[in-house]
Amino acid sequence: MSGMRIKDAGLIDQSKPIKFTFDGKAYSGFKGDTVASALLATGIRVFARSFKYHRPRSVWGAWSDDPNAIVDIALDGISYPNCQATTTALAEGMEVRSINAWPSAERDVKGVLDLAHRFLPAGFYYKMFMWPDWHLFEPMIRKMAGLGTLEKEVSDQFQSAILHEHCDTLIVGGGPAGLTAARVAAEAGKSVTLVDDHAELGGSLFSMAHARGLNASDWVAEQTAAIQSAGGHILTDTTAIGVYDHRMISLVTDRGLGTAPIMRKMRADHVIIATGAIDRPVTFVNNDRPGIMSVDAGTEYLARYGVRVGEKIAFLTNRPDVSTNLEQLAAAGASINIVEAATPHIQAIGTKSITGLVVGGKSISCDTVLASAGQTPLIHLWRHAGGKLAWDEDRQTFIPSAGPDWMRVIGAAAGTFDFDVAVQEATAVALKAPAPPRSIYKVTPLRPDLANKGRQWIDFQHDVTLKDVALAHRENMVSVEHLKRYTTLGMAGDQGKTSNIAGLSAMAELKGQSIPEVGTTTFRPPFVPVPLEAFRGTKRDRQMAPLKRLALEPEHRALDAAMGEYGGWLRPAWYGGDDEKTAVVHECKIAREAAAIMDGSALGAIEVIGPDARDFVNFVYYNTMSNLKPGRIRYGFMLSESGLVFDDGVMACVDDRRFIISCSSSHADAVMAHLEHWRQDSFDPKRVHIHDTTVNWSTVTIAGPKASDIVTELGVLENLHDFPHMSLRFGDFEGAEARVARVSFTGDTSFEISVRNDFAATLWRKTLEIGKKHGAGPVGAEALTVLRAEKGYILVGKDTDGETMPHDLGFGAPRLKKSAAFVGDRSLHSEKANSEARKQLVGLIVKDGEPMLPIGAHIVRNKNGKRFSVGYVTSSHDSPTLGRPIALALVEGGEHAMGEPVDLWHLGQARSAKIATSCAYDPEGARIDA
């Protein structure tokens, strides 16, 4: 007999049965069960198979410390891969499937791989599959890799949330120490948040309370009521998964399968870690057999779920404090046999379930082994925060030492395994007082038995054995980090909770060193596996990047505009309902022969205001902006600190204390963040203010040879005399302020008229009415991209890449002449920045009669019989104006290759072209000032 339910025992509700299936067979549990406790209660031992050898795996722990019981679950038609059976709450109708096994965990056909274990040691794939060609084996290996099954269709129904919160004191862990600290802090007037990853508070109290004469439920209820009455906030089913910069602790509330998790980004002035401790395995031959579990797990299943894990139980431990565990299990009807864990040559007997132990040559009959080589404090969060560790020889474990002054560790997580002392410690720490001295607690060191020839498991999930660690040692993996990566020890979902000290102990024994001399691996968040929905939150799809709408959208739709997304804005692509090609040709003709009337409202409009505004814009721009006079506009680049082109656009000077930055429509939010970063980092925030006014204005752009006539007739300015290109004027439109900028993105005379949104529709209609008399009409974004490409005007992110600097685009003067500091200045003088092999913007011309070049086609050169890519096409169009294809490209050394022929390669097709200047239309710029 391997497990049974004790009537009316535990915290579950045995009056509410729950039906579920496991590997196709029907079972039942009760409300409050986990998948693991329900299966154990039915006598099932084999839950899954191990990663490499497909060995049978059952539970080791009772909560998140378990590395073995991983299952796939289907619930209400939704698949959930790789769920921890020990932490997943049972739900009606669950279809539970064992992982890494076919057709079932009990009868896995790939279990034969275990017979070939001697040919599959650690790192075998690094060596075995190199000859004759790794790629021959890679598909098969990839197919076999991984655990669990990810369905092709994933549900997208859950609306998870990401919350930002703050408190004075955050307590992580709702056991005796955590509850005590929370109550004391709350009653001292602190804003307290207590989190625990179980549905019920109490932690280890349920498995120890009777030994202390306590009623666990009553004691927990008393503490909970006191915390809440003092204003404390309690979060159950919530795990602190990691500590990040600026004291930010991520908390994930998992409300069960079928509901969305909640991510809380908590910032607390004071953090108390009361996460407890877990048993670590004893290393002996076949110590991975189903039925071998931790000492505390055996008692937890009984105390929480009313499950007696075995009938004949052997205790194999060096812990001096297991008497309460023994008493509870004996009272539940189990026979107990205490085994000396330090005895050499221990071996488990049995295959799919343990049937006995061989200890010192003597056989012991048992159906369950509760093992512990000592307790390991759960100090992951302490390490995330930069806290140090110290080896405690008496406890045979690492405990917290020096660390951040805003975080303290108490209770078993600090190595305080005595209940009374832990409560005293919690009280002192909550009041920021010195903690009392710890009580004496000594365990006998248990090192792996190197003389025992059988396989001894270090990492249960990844099938790392003592022999694998020995192999890594022989192959000179001297660092514990090398050991981890070579053997994959502690790299699975367990993340070293159970395997870490076992691995360190093995390496120490092999090297003849102490465990502290061997060192520790790095603890990284998250502490437990986290559903991806928690990180995504509600910011996804249109919630992540809401589609921005133009005030003139109804006007565009009335003109039968084809609407499309451009840079996050819904904008007119073309008008009239024609097919795109016909419409674009027609609109380009209108723009060049009369005037294009366009909605330019999507362009970013960010105002920089303040006494230091002029110095600020000069600093954030590559070009010199300090000498820009009021009423004038200048084109320029913003760079990243790496000297790369971040954004381009024009900036207008209103007066010495006010500037208007016009940036790319798709980059407005990023530019705003960029400016705010440098405002706070390098300037007095009180003397520079930044406002994104993009949505406050609507802009109608009129560009073309008839633009001046149309603007004159509109009457927004008294006259257009003394209004040169790159100037700003303020006028009037029907009693409201009109901001008129003379700038061009088409290469023709162009005016951008900006008014309040409530005047936009009137301005648009009147402009169309006047423009119609001059042959002008509406032009969409697709035609605009052709018009700008004819002039060689770039789109950042399309005609630039992650290596483009301004001098690659023909703007080299500021790099050499600007004396004032600016963002990215030093990076422009690096060896890489001065390389002759830099990709530079050029134009490409194809032979007469040949079609346009495909975007993304590579420019290639031959060297030593091999073809190398030296650039690629960034933009390509059939130019209606020129009557031939045009293209822009980034090409190595393109600036000095004008007129040279080049070869192109795209999807197996060869093409040819000639390098030319990027401006294909009106290179003299005569039309801008026409």
Side-chain angles (χ1 to χ4, degrees):
M1 182 176 181
S2 57
M4 67 171 294
R5 186 82 70 178
I6 306 298
K7 186 175 176 57
D8 297 329
L11 305 178
I12 60 173
D13 187 345
Q14 296 192 23
S15 68
K16 296 181 179 178
I18 294 176
K19 295 180 180 179
F20 69 105
T21 64
F22 176 64
D23 281 349
K25 295 183 179 180
Y27 298 94
S28 66
F30 297 105
K31 182 177 175 59
D33 261 326
T34 62
V35 172
S37 65
L39 288 174
L40 283 175
T42 65
I44 290 177
R45 277 286 171 89
V46 182
F47 287 22
R49 292 285 174 148
S50 65
F51 175 67
K52 186 161 69 171
Y53 300 131
H54 284 252
R55 302 257 298 185
R57 288 288 181 261
S58 184
V59 295
W60 157 262
W63 198 238
S64 59
D65 58 313
D66 179 73
N68 289 338
I70 312 297
V71 294
D72 288 345
I73 294 176
L75 180 63
D76 297 330
I78 302 173
S79 175
Y80 302 89
N82 289 345
C83 300
Q84 275 190 288
T86 51
T87 62
T88 303
L90 194 67
E92 184 68 34
M94 268 186 173
E95 299 174 23
V96 183
R97 302 184 300 274
S98 53
I99 64 161
N100 215 37
W102 187 85
S104 67
E106 185 70 20
R107 296 177 177 84
D108 177 29
V109 296
K110 292 183 181 179
V112 296
L113 285 172
D114 194 37
L115 301 176
H117 67 86
R118 64 183 59 211
F119 303 108
L120 307 173
F124 74 95
Y125 34 82
Y126 297 133
K127 308 168 186 175
M128 184 178 295
F129 301 114
M130 293 299 102
W131 184 90
D133 185 355
W134 157 255
H135 296 96
L136 296 175
F137 305 98
E138 184 180 13
M140 175 188 66
I141 293 173
R142 287 193 179 279
K143 188 174 181 180
M144 295 178 65
L147 296 172
T149 303
L150 183 65
E151 299 294 338
K152 292 182 179 180
E153 295 186 7
V154 180
S155 173
D156 198 36
Q157 66 174 330
F158 301 128
Q159 297 291 319
S160 53
I162 295 180
L163 309 176
H164 294 264
E165 298 180 348
H166 174 268
C167 63
D168 295 333
T169 304
L170 172 68
I171 295 100
V172 182
L179 283 166
T180 301
R183 177 175 183 170
V184 171
E187 290 178 342
K190 299 295 183 182
S191 165
V192 170
T193 298
L194 170 67
V195 303
D196 190 84
D197 51 3
H198 279 87
E200 311 86 5
L201 298 173
S204 62
L205 185 66
F206 294 105
S207 59
M208 70 164 71
H210 82 285
R212 310 203 59 79
L214 294 174
N215 181 297
S217 296
D218 290 347
W219 190 88
V220 170
E222 179 186 346
Q223 308 308 311
T224 301
I227 294 167
Q228 292 176 330
S229 65
H233 186 207
I234 296 175
L235 296 171
T236 55
D237 293 314
T238 301
T239 306
I241 63 167
V243 181
Y244 301 88
D245 292 343
H246 311 298
R247 301 189 184 183
M248 196 273 279
I249 295 92
S250 284
L251 310 175
V252 175
T253 299
D254 187 351
R255 297 172 293 175
L257 301 187
T259 59
I262 297 174
M263 171 77 78
R264 287 179 169 87
K265 296 183 177 181
M266 177 71 75
R267 288 175 172 84
D269 298 331
H270 187 213
V271 178
I272 299 175
I273 304 299
T275 45
I278 59 172
D279 283 313
R280 57 179 176 270
V282 179
T283 304
F284 58 95
V285 175
N286 291 334
N287 60 327
D288 68 325
R289 291 303 189 195
I292 302 175
M293 61 183 67
S294 74
V295 167
D296 282 340
T299 315
E300 278 283 290
Y301 282 114
L302 181 62
R304 284 185 178 270
Y305 310 109
V307 176
R308 192 187 68 196
V309 295
E311 185 175 7
K312 299 170 64 177
I313 301 176
F315 269 73
L316 185 65
T317 178
N318 60 354
R319 284 177 52 182
D321 58 344
V322 295
S323 59
T324 183
N325 305 77
L326 296 168
E327 293 168 7
Q328 287 192 71
L329 290 164
S335 64
I336 305 298
N337 194 336
I338 301 175
V339 179
E340 176 54 55
T343 305
H345 306 310
I346 299 175
Q347 178 176 344
I349 304 171
T351 53
K352 294 180 182 177
S353 182
I354 189 167
T355 59
L357 290 173
V358 176
V359 183
K362 180 182 178 181
S363 296
I364 299 173
S365 176
C366 60
D367 58 30
T368 304
V369 173
L370 299 185
S372 175
Q375 291 182 283
T376 301
L378 290 174
I379 37 69
H380 292 62
L381 299 176
W382 174 254
R383 294 290 287 131
H384 295 172
K388 305 298 182 182
L389 300 179
W391 178 256
D392 188 301
E393 188 64 28
D394 287 343
R395 290 165 174 76
Q396 284 291 292
T397 194
F398 287 101
I399 60 173
S401 59
D405 57 5
W406 51 273
M407 180 178 283
R408 297 285 297 273
V409 186
I410 62 173
T416 305
F417 302 134
D418 182 272
F419 177 87
D420 293 326
V421 178
V423 168
Q424 295 171 22
E425 183 178 62
T427 301
V429 170
L431 297 174
K432 297 185 179 180
R438 293 191 184 95
S439 55
I440 297 174
Y441 186 94
K442 289 187 177 182
V443 298
T444 303
L446 288 181
R447 291 286 185 95
D449 187 356
L450 300 182
N452 211 341
K453 301 303 180 184
R455 283 190 290 170
Q456 305 177 55
W457 259 256
I458 303 294
D459 185 313
F460 299 138
Q461 193 176 100
H462 263 194
D463 278 333
V464 179
T465 67
L466 180 60
K467 290 182 179 179
D468 292 322
V469 178
L471 176 62
H473 175 251
R474 289 199 305 273
E475 298 202 355
N476 205 32
M477 301 296 165
V478 295
S479 166
V480 66
E481 295 287 2
H482 293 159
L483 165 68
K484 174 180 177 179
R485 283 152 182 81
Y486 187 73
T487 63
T488 70
L489 170 64
M491 292 174 65
D494 171 60
Q495 283 296 296
K497 294 182 184 70
T498 57
S499 59
N500 189 30
I501 291 185
L504 299 179
S505 180
M507 182 61 92
E509 192 74 2
L510 289 162
K511 296 177 70 173
Q513 296 178 335
S514 66
I515 291 178
E517 289 175 314
V518 172
T520 62
T521 55
T522 303
F523 292 83
R524 294 184 177 91
F527 173 65
V528 294
V530 179
L532 291 177
E533 292 94 338
F535 294 101
R536 179 180 64 179
T538 57
K539 294 184 177 181
R540 60 199 176 110
D541 304 327
R542 289 299 175 206
Q543 295 168 311
M544 176 65 181
L547 191 61
K548 299 175 183 178
R549 314 297 280 261
L550 299 166
L552 288 173
E553 183 181 333
E555 302 298 321
H556 299 314
R557 292 190 180 278
L559 294 172
D560 199 14
M563 305 298 289
E565 181 181 350
Y566 297 86
W569 286 86
L570 188 64
R571 297 169 59 187
W574 66 86
Y575 294 87
D578 294 325
D579 65 275
E580 178 181 352
K581 185 175 181 180
T582 302
V584 168
V585 171
H586 173 67
E587 291 175 13
C588 286
K589 184 178 180 180
I590 288 176
R592 294 303 185 202
E593 294 181 357
I597 299 173
M598 300 175 287
D599 187 346
S601 310
L603 289 173
I606 299 173
E607 298 202 12
V608 180
I609 303 169
D612 292 344
R614 185 174 289 275
D615 291 338
F616 176 77
V617 295
N618 197 52
F619 178 74
V620 296
Y621 269 97
Y622 166 67
N623 313 70
T624 298
M625 296 295 185
S626 58
N627 57 4
L628 188 62
K629 296 179 180 179
R632 298 295 291 173
I633 298 173
R634 187 167 293 165
Y635 174 78
F637 292 102
M638 290 184 191
L639 309 182
S640 68
E641 285 188 89
S642 302
L644 306 178
V645 174
F646 179 73
D647 191 61
D648 74 327
V650 297
M651 187 188 75
C653 176
V654 179
D655 55 48
D656 284 336
R657 299 164 65 99
R658 182 185 176 199
F659 297 81
I660 303 171
I661 293 173
S662 177
C663 55
S664 306
S665 57
S666 60
H667 296 167
D669 292 339
V671 168
M672 184 67 189
H674 179 77
L675 296 175
E676 186 62 35
H677 168 80
W678 289 110
R679 182 182 82 98
Q680 296 185 30
D681 184 82
S682 301
F683 288 81
D684 183 349
K686 296 180 180 179
R687 296 179 60 83
V688 181
H689 300 276
I690 303 170
H691 301 284
D692 185 354
T693 64
T694 305
V695 298
N696 298 342
W697 297 84
S698 287
T699 300
V700 175
T701 301
I702 306 137
K706 302 288 187 175
S708 295
D709 297 335
I710 297 170
V711 174
T712 298
E713 199 168 336
L714 271 172
V716 291
L717 296 175
E718 291 185 2
N719 62 70
L720 298 185
H721 298 297
D722 192 30
F723 190 9
H725 181 57
M726 301 299 279
S727 297
L728 176 70
R729 297 288 184 269
F730 288 89
D732 177 274
F733 179 73
E734 300 198 351
E737 181 181 82
R739 196 165 66 197
V740 185
R742 186 165 176 192
V743 293
S744 178
F745 196 49
T746 67
D748 281 302
T749 300
S750 178
F751 300 87
E752 294 180 356
I753 305 172
S754 300
V755 295
R756 283 179 6 207
N757 289 332
D758 51 341
F759 286 84
T762 304
L763 175 62
W764 175 258
R765 293 172 193 159
K766 190 171 182 179
T767 304
L768 286 178
E769 181 184 348
I770 296 171
K772 187 176 181 179
K773 296 184 295 184
H774 295 277
V779 170
E782 290 301 320
L784 179 60
T785 62
V786 178
L787 297 170
R788 66 91 197 169
E790 290 173 346
K791 288 292 296 179
Y793 296 158
I794 66 167
L795 290 175
V796 172
K798 180 177 177 62
D799 299 303
T800 65
D801 61 17
E803 296 182 343
T804 305
M805 292 180 168
H807 52 281
D808 300 327
L809 304 172
F811 293 84
R815 179 172 78 121
L816 303 176
K817 296 181 180 180
K818 185 174 180 180
S819 58
F822 59 92
V823 177
D825 51 0
R826 295 180 61 188
S827 300
L828 297 179
H829 300 281
S830 66
E831 181 180 351
K832 180 74 172 177
N834 288 286
S835 171
E836 294 182 358
R838 294 194 62 80
K839 292 185 179 70
Q840 296 163 336
L841 184 72
V842 298
L844 295 176
I845 301 175
V846 300
K847 294 179 181 178
D848 291 344
E850 289 194 358
M852 59 181 277
L853 296 169
I855 295 175
H858 283 267
I859 292 91
V860 296
R861 290 175 185 157
N862 292 318
K863 183 178 180 180
N864 298 327
K866 293 185 178 181
R867 186 183 289 121
F868 292 89
S869 173
V870 294
Y872 59 93
V873 177
T874 61
S875 294
S876 183
H877 302 278
D878 276 320
S879 168
T881 308
L882 299 171
R884 63 174 175 83
I886 59 170
L888 298 176
L890 289 172
V891 181
E892 288 184 8
E895 180 183 350
H896 303 292
M898 292 297 154
E900 293 183 5
V902 291
D903 296 322
L904 295 96
W905 187 262
H906 182 72
L907 300 179
Q909 298 295 318
R911 294 290 303 274
S912 62
K914 184 173 66 174
I915 292 181
T917 60
S918 58
C919 181
Y921 178 68
D922 185 30
E924 299 82 11
R927 294 177 64 98
I928 284 184
D929 287 316

